[in-house]
Amino acid sequence: MRAELRFTLNGAAVEAFVQPQARLLDVLRDTLGATGTKEGCSEGECGACTVLIDGRAVASCLFPALEAEGKRVVTVEGLRQDNGDPSAVQRAFIDKGGVQCGFCTPGMVMATTALLAENPAPTDDEIRAGLVGNLCRCTGYVQIIDAVKQAAGELATKERS
Amino acid sequence: MTDAAYHRPTTLDAALALKRDEPSARFIAGGTDLLVQLRKRKVAPAPLISLRNIPELCGVSVEDEAIRIGATTSLAELLRHEVIRRELRALGHALWTLASQQIRNVGTLGGNLCNASPAADTAPPLLAFDAAVELAGPKSRRTLPLASFLAGPGKTQLAAGELLSCVVVPRPPRGTQSAFLRQGRVAMDLSLASVAAFICIEDDRKAPVVRLAAGAVGPVPMRLRNAEATLVGRPLDAAALVAAAEAAAAEVSPINDLRSSANYRRRLVRVLCERALRQALGDKEIHHEG
């Protein structure tokens, strides 16, 4: 038994036939081939599977795919700018060394994108609170927080110009 | 995942009818607890009835006497709500430290209560605000105090076929202050212990009303009635707060588990209770602006 599902993935209309209780994470990776989103803990603790749904960060491992019906889903594949360059958040993670093994990075970048959309100038504490649902076992988080601050600064500059 | 069905009704009546026709089906709201339990096989595979697309179950309405919170209102939406942040400050504190943005964006208030974890962080503030829950069943609707709705770890007073539709919080009178404090090992972890304090000093001639509640230190989040009783008819000075905190630590019934020892939890209750009272008393900004 399969159910029909239609939503917008990174700006493009997509359609899939899915098991009724399939997770959005599996539909993204296995059905639609968008493997940028990673599976970590599968229980909403680690944040590796974070995607944006209608602009808000969500753990796609805990999101029934059918609830994405008609919604706008953005994954790490959808962050790059129109000219193909990385987004300010992606650039900042590269510049500041906020990436080591890279497995948490798509989720970190998505959570940061959502955090800065809601709070464009977060304090260190607000950055930590915003990323509390994203685990990184490599960096010790210092470079990640530096990256969020750089991205916030860049986005603020862009806003002013 | 199994081939079990996933229903997405758009009215409360349709959701209740689906459950009546398929009693083994389970209601699902945000799913942040249930989907983990299903995956770990702590809950048997079942058809799911999603409550996410039912407008009458979602949203906050501020009335003269009460704030009505639809059961499927997300924790994030509550945290953003002006009136909740201003008037139900202890609930705001609890929401702010509850899980992560990813979980708050989909997790719901009704889900946090129906999952009935002893450590559900929204419960102590709601108990301190003397909240009630509205339950909708196939034949009737009923209202219960939250304190009697919570029945044990993972247990509620929901009857077969019933669901929690709304949380009703009486609007705190002018002169109300509140606070919520929790202690967890790390930020995302469940609370080891938590305390919510509600203090209403309407005017100098009336005795203050104090309500206290604790989480993760008994089978259900609980009112601290003995601690409240120690404060009746005496000034809320430092000695009174210490006496209340000691009564609180004596009346809770924590357990030893992998997160903490019972003894440590009891000590936490004493400290958190005194601090929560102090914070509420020192916090003059919150008042009713109705």
Side-chain angles (χ1 to χ4, degrees), chain B residues 116-267:
Chain B
S117 163
D121 276 341
T122 63
L126 290 171
L127 288 170
F129 286 115
D130 213 11
V133 291
E134 290 182 359
L135 312 181
K139 293 201 187 93
S140 62
R141 307 280 190 266
R142 59 185 177 132
T143 303
L144 282 182
L146 177 60
S148 29
F149 174 73
L150 301 168
K155 290 205 185 90
T156 67
Q157 291 293 347
L158 281 171
E162 240 181 357
L163 59 81
L164 194 162
S165 57
C166 187
V167 177
V168 184
V169 188
R171 285 187 83 174
R174 187 180 293 277
T176 295
Q177 296 142 42
S178 67
F180 171 83
L181 292 172
R182 75 188 283 273
Q183 182 67 47
R185 191 181 61 83
V186 291
M188 275 283 278
D189 203 6
L190 295 178
S191 292
L192 304 175
S194 67
V195 173
F198 167 105
I199 302 178
C200 174
I201 305 177
E202 265 187 279
D203 66 59
D204 292 343
R205 285 159 302 170
K206 270 200 210 159
V209 176
V210 179
R211 289 196 294 265
L212 296 163
V217 287
V220 291
M222 61 190 282
R223 278 281 289 279
L224 299 169
R225 306 252 181 206
N226 295 352
E228 292 170 10
T230 65
L231 295 173
V232 173
R234 68 186 281 190
L236 300 177
D237 55 16
L241 303 193
V242 170
E246 278 169 3
E251 73 183 292
V252 296
S253 49
I255 56 166
N256 293 303
D257 69 7
L258 75 154
R259 287 194 170 77
S260 167
S261 67
N263 189 30
Y264 180 59
R265 285 193 162 100
R266 203 180 284 282
R267 283 161 179 260

Side-chain angles (χ1 to χ4, degrees), chain B residues 1-235:
Chain B
M1 286 287 159
T2 65
D3 261 350
Y6 190 89
H7 302 287
R8 302 176 71 225
T10 55
T11 66
L12 176 55
D13 286 342
L16 294 169
L18 281 162
K19 174 75 176 168
R20 192 187 53 221
D21 296 346
E22 218 172 340
S24 69
R26 298 188 65 113
F27 292 122
I28 180 171
T32 55
D33 285 311
L34 181 59
L35 292 175
V36 175
Q37 292 158 359
L38 278 166
R39 193 174 174 81
K40 290 184 170 175
R41 293 281 185 257
K42 287 182 181 169
V43 167
L48 299 177
I49 303 169
S50 166
L51 305 177
R52 295 166 104 118
N53 307 286
I54 302 176
E56 65 206 280
L57 290 181
C58 189
V60 178
S61 70
V62 178
E63 298 173 354
D64 289 346
E65 298 295 317
I67 299 171
R68 296 176 54 83
I69 304 171
T72 65
T73 310
S74 75
L75 302 168
E77 191 181 333
L78 290 179
L79 189 54
R80 283 191 293 270
H81 198 282
E82 270 292 307
V83 178
I84 287 174
R85 288 164 71 123
R86 193 171 65 233
E87 295 188 18
L88 307 181
R89 188 164 286 200
L91 181 61
H93 290 165
L95 293 166
W96 174 244
T97 53
L98 199 153
S100 61
Q101 57 166 331
Q102 289 94 329
I103 300 299
R104 287 193 300 267
N105 280 331
V106 290
T108 67
L109 184 63
N112 195 238
L113 296 175
C114 288
N115 188 53
S117 163
D121 276 341
T122 63
L126 290 171
L127 288 170
F129 286 115
D130 213 11
V133 291
E134 290 182 359
L135 312 181
K139 293 201 187 93
S140 62
R141 307 280 190 266
R142 59 185 177 132
T143 303
L144 282 182
L146 177 60
S148 29
F149 174 73
L150 301 168
K155 290 205 185 90
T156 67
Q157 291 293 347
L158 281 171
E162 240 181 357
L163 59 81
L164 194 162
S165 57
C166 187
V167 177
V168 184
V169 188
R171 285 187 83 174
R174 187 180 293 277
T176 295
Q177 296 142 42
S178 67
F180 171 83
L181 292 172
R182 75 188 283 273
Q183 182 67 47
R185 191 181 61 83
V186 291
M188 275 283 278
D189 203 6
L190 295 178
S191 292
L192 304 175
S194 67
V195 173
F198 167 105
I199 302 178
C200 174
I201 305 177
E202 265 187 279
D203 66 59
D204 292 343
R205 285 159 302 170
K206 270 200 210 159
V209 176
V210 179
R211 289 196 294 265
L212 296 163
V217 287
V220 291
M222 61 190 282
R223 278 281 289 279
L224 299 169
R225 306 252 181 206
N226 295 352
E228 292 170 10
T230 65
L231 295 173
V232 173
R234 68 186 281 190

